[in-house]
Amino acid sequence: MTENKLVTNTRIVRASYANNSKVTHAQFRIEKHEDIDLTSVKPGEIILRNLYLSLDPYVRFTLNETGGDTPASYRRLNDTFYGLGIAEIVASGCDKYPVGSLVTINTGYEQYTRVSGLNDPNTQSDIRVLPAHARDESKGVPLSNYISALGMPGLTAYAGLKVLGVQPGKTIFVGSAAGGVGQLVGQLAKIQGLTVIGSAGSDEKVAYLIEKQNFDGAFNYKTEDAREALTRLAPNGIDYYYDTVGGAILDLVLELINEHGKILSVGMISQENGKGDYPIRNLKLIAVRGVSILGFIYWHHLKYFENGELDSTIRPLLERKEIVYREEVFEGIESAPEHFINMLDGEYAGKVLIKIADL
């Protein structure tokens, strides 16, 4: 008879709701449990050893007691937070997911996660099995990129530009350009022949966008007047706006965008973390100028994962250093609450990740 092999599992649980207030450490609790038995796996189950965790603004919605599109099951108190991660399968009762496979999955803010029900045909799985070359970091593409430039942020950037239908010679403005999605949007658009303008929250981020990531221009939205900056940097107007910010800057772009311009609405981070809704005043200009506003959610475009197109397009650009992708990687699952709070406050540049364990 095989002996039980229990491993201590440190996890981050939801201790309280923030609702309309700023997120603080009071919303998080760190717990340790010896409750993962690596020799006990049922049919249809896998056990994951989590390697990297992505910290994303959308998780903020799970700290609201009610409202929004977040299912109630993702908002329960005393439950483990969930977010996109990279993991290694260390035990499996499912032929489709053998031991040793690397996957990305909506996993727990924890060291080990048990996933059940995978043999049920009605189970909706978000598991993405990574290609074998994901392990190969020798060409300068770290494994962590599979939840950044080659993961959901990369998919959002790549597919978003396709939805916009960008054309060379046009001008695109990228909100929150130093973030996990924006930095890639700008570089891909530049490769496609567009003039690229971005906004960011510090002079250091602005300099990085221009000097390292090939943006044609950028401005610090905290210290510069956005109207003056956009008029100066885009003298021929804005043709496309890749919007993850919403609020006042969206209102301004509606004034400045060219006739038949297009806006991709991906998120509204200006109205998250306890900030109220912003009343858009310039909606009449949509009709006056024939502007299109297109909604975007990444799971409508998973085909670019499934057919390998995202990997085959973006990975060579990363290997050849034609795209410079900026990550901020912090060590240890216990550090997740602090860095999640700082991420919401805009303190970091690039994609924010927690490294939980070595491969």
Side-chain angles (χ1 to χ4, degrees):
M1 182 175 180
T2 305
E3 293 184 5
N4 290 347
K5 185 180 178 183
L6 293 176
V7 292
T8 301
N9 188 31
T10 300
R11 62 177 186 164
I12 312 297
V13 303
R14 191 174 298 100
S16 65
Y17 296 114
N19 291 323
N20 294 323
S21 300
K22 186 177 182 294
V23 175
T24 70
H25 283 275
Q27 274 71 65
F28 303 89
R29 185 170 67 252
I30 300 173
E31 295 184 348
K32 291 181 182 289
H33 288 270
E34 289 189 347
D35 60 357
I36 299 290
D37 181 359
L38 299 185
T39 65
S40 174
V41 59
K42 299 176 183 177
E45 282 189 344
I46 58 174
I47 299 176
L48 305 172
R49 183 173 71 95
N50 297 319
L51 305 173
Y52 287 94
L53 175 69
S54 173
L55 300 186
D56 294 295
Y58 70 82
V59 178
R60 170 63 180 82
F61 294 114
T62 72
L63 290 168
N64 294 334
E65 190 170 3
T66 59
D69 297 325
T70 308
S73 60
Y74 278 68
R75 292 187 271 111
R76 288 193 292 254
L77 294 183
N78 304 312
D79 275 7
T80 308
F81 280 90
Y82 277 82
L84 191 64
I86 298 174
E88 181 181 32
I89 299 175
V90 292
S92 178
C94 184
D95 292 340
K96 186 177 179 180
Y97 302 112
V99 170
S101 299
L102 292 181
V103 298
T104 61
I105 183 174
N106 195 32
T107 189
Y109 279 33
E110 56 188 350
Q111 292 172 296
Y112 294 87
T113 299
R114 186 186 295 271
V115 181
S116 303
L118 296 176
N119 286 346
D120 184 343
N122 295 317
T123 297
Q124 297 293 315
S125 172
D126 63 345
I127 300 174
R128 174 192 177 200
V129 178
L130 299 183
H133 61 242
R135 292 178 177 271
D136 180 9
E137 299 182 318
S138 65
K139 295 181 180 179
V141 180
L143 176 61
S144 57
N145 275 185
Y146 279 88
I147 47 171
S148 61
L150 296 169
M152 186 261 284
L155 176 65
T156 301
Y158 181 74
L161 288 172
K162 285 183 173 289
V163 171
L164 273 175
V166 297
Q167 298 294 321
K170 303 286 189 177
T171 296
I172 186 170
F173 170 47
V174 184
S176 191
V181 174
Q183 60 175 309
L184 192 55
V185 170
Q187 292 179 85
L188 288 174
K190 187 63 181 174
I191 289 171
Q192 293 177 51
L194 283 81
T195 298
V196 180
I197 307 300
S199 64
S202 74
D203 291 343
E204 186 276 335
K205 293 177 183 178
V206 167
Y208 195 91
L209 289 170
I210 296 170
E211 296 169 9
K212 302 292 186 181
Q213 296 182 319
N214 210 25
F215 278 59
D216 293 287
F219 66 95
N220 183 342
Y221 68 84
K222 293 183 179 179
T223 61
E224 297 184 61
D225 179 81
R227 182 187 299 274
E228 188 281 328
L230 286 172
T231 302
R232 170 173 50 86
L233 295 171
N236 296 320
I238 297 166
D239 299 298
Y240 309 106
Y241 175 36
Y242 196 106
D243 183 23
T244 60
V245 180
I249 192 70
L250 171 59
D251 218 13
L252 175 60
V253 169
L254 284 169
E255 288 188 41
L256 302 178
I257 197 165
N258 289 334
E259 191 170 5
H260 302 304
K262 294 182 180 180
I263 297 171
L264 191 73
S265 181
V266 180
M268 296 196 173
I269 56 176
S270 67
Q271 295 167 64
E272 296 173 5
N273 203 17
K275 299 174 183 176
D277 292 339
Y278 183 93
I280 302 295
R281 297 165 297 179
N282 288 316
L283 292 176
K284 64 181 180 182
L285 296 176
I286 297 172
V288 171
R289 295 186 182 157
V291 172
S292 300
I293 298 182
L294 308 166
F296 181 93
I297 193 73
Y298 83 95
W299 62 69
H300 293 161
H301 305 276
L302 294 178
K303 64 182 180 181
Y304 298 119
F305 280 158
E306 295 160 0
N307 64 14
E309 182 174 334
L310 183 78
D311 193 87
S312 64
T313 302
I314 304 300
R315 186 176 175 107
L317 296 173
L318 293 166
E319 291 177 350
R320 296 194 299 264
K321 303 295 187 275
E322 293 177 33
I323 284 178
V324 175
Y325 193 86
R326 194 175 191 183
E327 294 179 340
E328 296 228 28
V329 182
F330 300 97
E331 297 276 346
I333 189 61
E334 296 91 344
S335 72
E338 175 186 357
H339 297 303
F340 183 85
I341 293 167
N342 292 344
M343 179 267 301
L344 288 179
D345 289 341
E347 293 190 16
Y348 301 133
K351 189 75 193 75
V352 184
L353 306 173
I354 302 295
K355 184 178 181 180
I356 301 174
D358 291 316
L359 180 61

